[in-house]
Amino acid sequence: MSFPRHRPRRLRSSPAMRRLAAQTSLEPRHLVLPMFVADGIGEPQPIGSMPGVVQHNRDSLRKAAEAAVASGVGGLMLFGVPRDEDKDAVGSVGTDPDGILNVALRDLAADLGDATVLMADTCLDEFTDHGHCGVLAPNGSVDNDTTNDRYVEMAIAQANSGAHVVAPSGMMDGQVAAIRDGLDGAGHTDVVILAYAAKFASGFYGPFREAVSSSLEGDRRTYQQDAGNAREAMREVALDLEEGADIIMVKPAMAYLDLIRAAADVSPVPVAAYQVSGEYSMISAAAANGWIDLHTVVLETLTGIRRAGADIVLSYWAADVAEWLA
């Protein structure tokens, strides 16, 4: 069938016409800024593999968070980086009320209140001396149920510190149900669970491990998903929805756009996607070499993630993009 009188180019004839006919929007409210706060540093520390991103101290975190919120970003996702000497086998500092993540959450909750959505990474990998996302069994594997118990403690500590959203990212079976029961039992019935429902064992996480000073040796393939397993990913999504996830996440984003779309097609709750550290660093490096235009490619990739079905996008460019779009 042909339509000889139809010319799509008419709808591209000017910026105003393109704006009017746009089918996918990218707005600051769609974006969440991941931020790192480290214990025991006097000044913000640049992350070598992530140009422009730093480990904040508490003071610089507060200033950067305030600026990001003023730019209009939808939320902040906070990761804590303890001192090496404070790490142990069960990630005790992650549940310690005086641990760096919980102290920083209280700082931002006091400063920002409900002006933003304050999110916390609910995982043990930054806090364990072995770098895995959970408690290890005697044979060296990650103990699923013992780890879930620790996640419950961590989620309650984060909620007590002012987090609006807890984000279990360890891919333990049953983690969402365990955390929901724990939060409800502690009186935090309004705290949202953002579940990393489909998190893949990806090569794109390398720079993040520098950002959190990870102690990991080996890999996480026994609990994160295989890149080729789409049906398994959708099973994980379904399980997290059944357990009461308020938001589900696909991570990484750009190599998994098909799964973002598939999740969006079935999810009754918002779908998030994480443009991860390796994606950030890859684009940054190409732009630094003059091979691509940074603004154009960042906006194109984020729009593509939104077009695939993500309601929320975590990106290290969130605050920058909010200013570009102003």
Side-chain angles (χ1 to χ4, degrees):
M1 184 179 295
S2 63
F3 300 92
R5 299 176 66 88
H6 182 63
R7 294 192 177 187
R9 285 179 58 189
R10 293 187 185 117
L11 297 178
R12 308 172 197 151
S13 59
S14 70
M17 184 63 74
R18 292 191 294 273
R19 184 171 61 249
L20 178 67
Q23 298 170 4
T24 302
S25 66
L26 177 65
E27 304 168 34
R29 68 181 182 88
H30 297 132
L31 304 174
V32 170
L33 177 65
M35 306 183 79
F36 304 101
V37 58
D39 199 5
I41 60 173
E43 298 292 333
Q45 299 297 307
I47 299 165
S49 57
M50 298 179 70
V53 180
V54 302
Q55 291 180 345
H56 287 285
N57 61 27
R58 287 174 62 186
D59 288 339
S60 69
L61 176 75
R62 296 171 79 166
K63 294 174 183 175
E66 183 177 0
V69 172
S71 75
V73 299
L76 309 172
M77 175 68 81
L78 200 57
F79 296 88
V81 185
R83 296 173 297 185
D84 284 345
E85 57 266 33
D86 291 333
K87 298 179 181 182
D88 62 21
V90 297
S92 299
V93 72
T95 51
D96 184 347
D98 295 322
I100 183 60
L101 179 54
N102 293 317
V103 169
L105 285 169
R106 290 199 296 275
D107 287 341
L108 297 191
D111 290 348
L112 301 170
D114 291 333
T116 192
V117 177
L118 186 57
M119 305 178 177
D121 179 57
T122 310
C123 195
L124 294 172
D125 58 321
E126 297 100 313
F127 306 106
T128 55
D129 54 13
H130 47 73
H132 278 285
C133 296
V135 180
L136 299 185
N139 67 359
S141 65
V142 174
D143 186 317
N144 190 95
D145 295 347
T146 302
T147 297
N148 280 345
D149 291 341
R150 293 288 295 135
Y151 287 175
V152 171
E153 295 175 43
M154 186 175 231
I156 292 171
Q158 292 170 347
N160 288 342
S161 298
H164 301 108
V165 178
V166 297
S169 59
M171 292 296 292
M172 297 298 117
D173 293 338
Q175 62 184 13
V176 173
I179 289 171
R180 183 75 274 160
D181 288 344
L183 289 171
D184 291 353
H188 293 298
T189 56
D190 290 334
V191 171
V192 167
I193 297 177
L194 187 167
Y196 286 61
K199 181 179 180 181
F200 290 85
S202 172
F204 284 104
Y205 300 149
F208 177 89
R209 292 177 184 169
E210 179 188 354
V212 296
S213 303
S214 174
S215 301
L216 180 68
E217 296 182 3
D219 59 52
R220 300 184 174 119
R221 295 183 182 276
T222 60
Y223 45 101
Q224 293 178 356
Q225 291 182 262
D226 185 273
N229 291 1
R231 290 195 302 274
E232 180 186 321
M234 294 308 297
R235 181 186 179 199
E236 293 278 13
V237 166
L239 288 169
D240 280 0
L241 290 171
E242 289 173 8
E243 291 178 21
D246 300 293
I247 305 171
I248 56 169
M249 174 101 86
V250 176
K251 179 184 181 183
M254 290 167 57
Y256 300 90
L257 295 176
D258 59 325
L259 294 174
I260 296 172
R261 178 72 267 161
D265 285 343
V266 302
S267 177
V269 304
V271 175
Y274 200 143
Q275 187 181 51
V276 299
S277 60
E279 297 168 77
Y280 173 91
S281 298
M282 183 170 59
I283 293 170
S284 296
N289 278 281
W291 298 334
I292 59 174
D293 179 75
L294 181 69
H295 288 205
T296 301
V297 172
V298 170
L299 292 174
E300 183 177 347
T301 56
L302 292 174
T303 300
I305 296 165
R306 287 271 298 127
R307 188 185 67 246
D311 303 290
I312 301 163
V313 185
L314 281 73
S315 173
Y316 299 98
W317 281 297
D320 301 286
V321 170
E323 292 184 0
W324 300 346
L325 296 174

